[in-house]
Amino acid sequence: MDSSSPDPPSSLSLESVVDSLKNQSFREQGDDHINEENKNKNVKLSLVKLSLEDLNWDHSFVRELPGDAQSDSIPRQVLHACYTKVLPSAEVENPELVVWSDSVADLLDLDPKEFERPDFPIKFSGASPLTGTVPYAQCYGGHQFGTWAGQLGDGRAITLGEILNSKLERWELQLKGAGKTPYSRSADGLAVLRSSIREFLCSEAMHFLGIPTTRALCLVTTGKLVTRDMFYDGNPKEEPGAIVCRVAQSFLRFGSFQIHSSRGEEDLGIVRALADYAIRHHFPHIENISISESLSFSTGDDDQLVVDLTSNKYAAWIVEIAERTASLVARWQGVGFTHGVLNTDNMSILGLTIDYGPFGFLDAFDPSYTPNTTDLPGRRYCFGNQPDICLWNITQFASSLMAANLISNKEANYAMERYGTKFMDEYQAIMSRKLGLQKYSKQLVNKLLNNLAVDKVDYTNFFRSLSNIKADPDIPEDKLLVPLKAVLLDIGKERKEAWASWVQFYIKELVASGISDEERKTSMNLVNPKYVLRNYLCQSAIDAAELCDFGEVRRLLKVMERPYDEQPGMEKYARLPPAWAYRPGVRMLSCSS
């Protein structure tokens, strides 16, 4: 897979992106619609409300792409196919509805009263088929921790099909934990309540933070126990089983293309077919690019180094994927989110956050933080490495398209250059907004991130508190840190002096910006969340749910649906992690989690 990788672009190195992160993160101004969604009074819900039986199912993936000739769930290599038709098979006994998303129901035109149906849990456990579905598991491969792993695929996720809503948007529904597929390898195809709660809550929390993500419609228990060795230490235990219904416009990944390009000449046509399918359904504007749009870009002094995106739709396509990915990673860095398992099979071609395993939001600021115990030896997927790793993943994806002769080496290099440029532009704009500044200050940000790292300051609470600083250059030196007293904990005289020096620098920038304190505070609180889904909050909800109390899961969802609001009475959800949060299995988890 690596032999045909494009050459590293001269204007961008892997190190430069990560180094820039250390020097300088969040929402585009175009994300203001999220703020509106967070205000219930401004939400414009779909007028169409359908029952489960009336949902408008379509099956373009199955209809337009080659499938497996077999339809069993026996683990095997599935050749020359993008999917295998397979039915949900998880054993179920008195399933219960744990939590649901009215917001996602609205995307599907689903009447929220359907959640109250007695048969809703059994239908979304897969035990009672939903009318109109054609279930299948997708075939894909991927690089895991930098090594080509061959065929992977949906080992415990079964797609039910696509729903076309009243806006003609296409949404795939997928049951994760629904049973074995040909891609399960030696696993059981099941999921536990613990990991399913984390996936459901983080999918929704990320959406309301304004970060592109897969969504979650509902979560049900199976009523059965599942055996898991959570720490890979030879001590498995039984846990409650569960199934989460994931929703996205597409679950296509970089690995969806890699698997077919890895299998030689015979399957290269599938790479093209998949690309055509993706462009047709999810990037239709690229299909309609015309020469008159003059999308030509020079990559050097030589005339031969011109990339014309109007002459090759696949080149325009990978450039857009690279830019969407760069924008996504910039937003992760801005909010302090660490994915934890950035394998190429966990990279969405739509630029979505996908596959929530051992994720973690930064508590104490630490660029080397990884929430994944499997990642500890090299910290490949730590917070500070995410921009670098996603560029590497784009390179592997580009190699697959090059193998199928869809793009040239020059076009691949240009896509990677666009990744670097887009990331830096977005990251700097995000950080400027987090600081309440109209212009990016590299020196200010460099000093801030260094201070945060030295004193292990809580990332989320620091930026939320920062809006309390006044643009007053006459504040006495001994009063400079008063607005930050709650977040600068246990620091000595020398560190207080370092922070006071930074605050003085910051105030000068605020004064130069000319924005009133009130206006700046309002704008900063729209981009610096008060609430993020800290791992200990997840664990508290999990502990209660495992005792059949689902109230905390539902309360936590409601808090995370309004992360930028003060929410009086909910302040406990913004607290620093308690001591017990540092025990194994809370702040850090394994890939199996």
Side-chain angles (χ1 to χ4, degrees), residues 68-78 83-87 89 137 180-184:
D68 186 1
Q70 298 175 234
S71 57
D72 58 73
S73 59
I74 300 171
R76 54 193 162 81
Q77 290 292 302
V78 176
Y83 63 87
T84 302
K85 289 183 179 179
V86 59
L87 296 174
S89 60
K180 284 188 177 182
T181 78
Y183 313 103
S184 297

Side-chain angles (χ1 to χ4, degrees), residues 13-82:
S13 69
L14 296 178
E15 293 81 4
S16 68
V17 179
V18 177
D19 289 344
S20 298
L21 168 62
K22 295 173 182 175
N23 297 335
Q24 321 176 41
S25 301
F26 185 68
R27 288 148 36 99
E28 291 180 320
Q29 294 179 2
D31 288 330
D32 290 342
H33 69 282
I34 296 297
N35 297 327
E36 296 303 310
E37 184 170 350
N38 292 341
K39 307 290 185 181
N40 290 336
K41 63 183 180 180
N42 291 330
V43 176
K44 295 183 178 178
L45 299 178
S46 168
L47 297 178
V48 179
K49 298 298 178 188
L50 303 176
S51 69
L52 292 177
E53 288 75 17
D54 293 330
L55 291 173
N56 184 19
W57 290 96
D58 189 41
H59 305 285
S60 66
F61 195 86
V62 170
R63 186 172 61 246
E64 299 175 25
L65 294 166
D68 186 1
Q70 298 175 234
S71 57
D72 58 73
S73 59
I74 300 171
R76 54 193 162 81
Q77 290 292 302
V78 176
L79 303 177
H80 320 309
C82 296

